[in-house]
Amino acid sequence: VADQKGLGTPGIQQGSPAIGAAGSAPAAPGAGGTEGSGATVGSARIAVKKAQLRSSPRPKKLEKLGVYSSCKAEGACKCNSWKSQNPPPTPPRTDQQPNTFNLQDPCRSCSHTLGDHVTHLENVSEEEMNRLLGIALDVEYLNTCVHKEEDADTKQVYFSLFKLLRKCILQMGRPVVEAQESPPFEKPSIEQGVNNFVQYKFSHLPSKERQTIVELAKMFLNQINYWQLETPSQRRQRAPADDAAGYKVNYTRWLCYCNVPQFCDSLPRYETTQIFGRTLLRSVFTVMRKQLLEQARQEKDKLPPEKRTLILTHFPKFLSMLEEEVYSHSSPIWSEEFLAGSSGGPIPIHTVISAPPVVRPLYYNSSPVSVDPSSCGSVSPARKTASVLEPSPGGQKRKPSEPLPHEETKKLRIVGDIPMELINEVMATITDPASMLGPETSLLSAHSARDEAARLEERRGVIEFHVIGNSLNQKPNKRILMWLVGLQNVFSHQLPRMPKEYITRLVFDPKHKTLSLIKDGRVIGGICFRMFPSQSFTEIVFCAVTSNEQVKGYGTHLMNHLKEYHIKHDILNFLTYADEYAIGYFKKQGFSKDIKVPKAKYLGYIKDYEGATLMGCELNPSIPYTEFSVIIKKQKEIIKKLIERKQAQIRKVYPGLSCFKEGVRQIPIESIPGIRETGWKPVGKGKELKDPDQLYSTLKTILQHVKSHQNAWPFMEPVKKTEAPGYYQVIRFPMDLKTMSERLKSRYYTTRKLFMADMQRIFTNCREYNPPESEYYKCANLLEKFFYTKIKEAGLIEK
């Protein structure tokens, strides 16, 4: 991209701010030489000059202002500025004493005195004098810009601002750029659009991952605020097919309101991201994205370690996702009505519930930090959802009075955990974006996820998901009503045994909502449901996709979106009556006949269908359902890289075993050459009970002994959030003795190792969360010792 002449010092390219820094502004307009090679230096130099002039004697100030003031002597003198009889040499000599000015000094043009030119300033306050002096220096600066500028459009703007400021000195007014429109020029602004994007795609994330996104958004907005726009002529050469007239208008506005005021502070200054919207963003995004990523690659070795992964791995994905929303014709983030309705009222049509298609993070962070949503700009309160997704309750208790462990506190490493440093290092080595982006890479694979095709179509804007419903309180929305009619048609055709009048009544019932699947502007499927927040469950009433759009993963993707929608609204149970044809579908979506909701909760609330089977599904708030298969794919890619790294460390090749040819039938594992070098260690031997009933009886006895122990009291039931705030932000895999008892009854423990792993998790969690001097920590140590004594007595491990 060519240098922005006149808007930057020669050699400063368009888009020169450093990646990851707080952002450096472009060079000052018309600044020349090494001293003015950047905005900070250029504007600082101007500020120093203004400070020096404002501290000068009053005659010196009057002389400066007289240069821009017309003569007011009697006789209607037409001289428009006072000119000294003895102008300083160019360049000025440093050995000369500064000239002393007198109000009686004559003007070189009209011979009238300096006092005749500045009579209007006699009674002006020092503060007002200093303000006018600042404008005077800005006038001089713009005059230099006009003479140095080669681009005609830019020169014209400089000259207009030059005349405006001169007029302000003459009339002692305040500069106001005259234009048909005043800022802001488009709503929502770029800043609001990016805020909406963060909320739209990432509001469901745990706080630590969301904080990363907020940092990326701030970085991106900062880059735009200091971005050097191409001149209209440069843009015409690069993209002749674009809207040249529209770009020229925005370019002129940008110069007047954003760029020039950075250096001429007498002009009101606005942030680019606050007064411009998607139109300007579209005109710069492609070039800007390319240059930012290219610069990141070139400067990767200079980046601090804590920023390297953020900029090299996360920033490109953030820009790719944002690019889709910038150039999409149907993106909801650019709507002035963008918000996510609460569960208490109708959801506006613009509420598109879509999960982030690419950068849903891997859930390996152990201690999320809280995020202030206001840190990324103004956000609708309705979008401020819970920032930390907590797992199901479990674990041990902690005194509320005890302080929570700080993030910096060193925690005990759980065996099997992979250090975050290693994961970040591996992430940085995955240079092939296709391997991490998911759907495109394995869409035709036999192992591809059921919903990958639908997810890919959603990313490309082929399909959309909206939660809609009828309202008796608001003015009817024609589009929503058309979609509701479409849903009624789809359900009627796909559920022929269901009376049409009944379908219509429920679809248009204000108490029911429908997650609708839209393709090419028409409804092709949906799930009608009714939420019962007081009972903590939702009833799914109808679920269907039109026949010619089936077998494309739409049904699975619909259900996944519905699950995430309910997680945001803190409802974690689905109930539905499924007919014989739907049981298979619901089983694939995680439903079962084992209902977790107590019968007293739903009896009398949900509709009973003759000949149908009641099925339920319990949601796990830690699972990002719409992206779960993508996350698994990312994790597999990381594990693959970790294996490759481990293999690269083991380079020695050992000779094969020949003992079996000599008649040996069995050898100890540890005798295999090289096996120990791979990291293998012999495990403690124990007696594995083959008989399930015998194993159940043995484990039941051990668990009863543990529960009866005097130190078991902290671990009897799951930890309550009210008693240990923040517990589930620290402990990722909670466990307690009550949960173990339930698992034992359901015959979950098919091996002794599963049982021992859950029991060990209780002790590990306690020591990870609580300080060593706490009572809970001591109880864990004593109970653990007792547990292993009982395990040895039962012969499950060697003594």
Side-chain angles (χ1 to χ4, degrees), residues 450 527-529 537-543 555-556 558-560 562-563 566 572-578 582-597 613-619 625:
R450 188 179 292 111
I527 301 177
C528 182
F529 59 94
F537 79 91
T538 280
E539 177 192 9
I540 294 177
V541 185
F542 308 124
C543 176
T556 296
L558 262 169
M559 187 60 73
N560 285 339
L562 190 67
K563 289 175 180 177
H566 278 78
L572 302 181
N573 283 284
F574 287 161
L575 290 177
T576 188
Y577 272 98
I583 289 176
Y585 163 78
F586 282 111
K587 277 186 177 179
K588 291 175 183 177
Q589 308 310 319
F591 285 72
S592 74
K593 298 174 186 178
D594 181 16
I595 309 300
K596 302 293 184 182
V597 182
T613 304
L614 182 63
M615 301 185 75
C617 177
E618 187 176 17
L619 307 182
Y625 287 96

Side-chain angles (χ1 to χ4, degrees), residues 47 142 165 296 322 368 395 432 463 523 613 628 640 680 684 740 749 763:
L142 282 170
L165 293 182
L322 181 57
D432 179 16
I463 59 175
V523 175
T613 304
F628 193 57
K640 179 182 173 186
W680 178 87
M740 287 190 67
Y749 298 118
F763 308 135

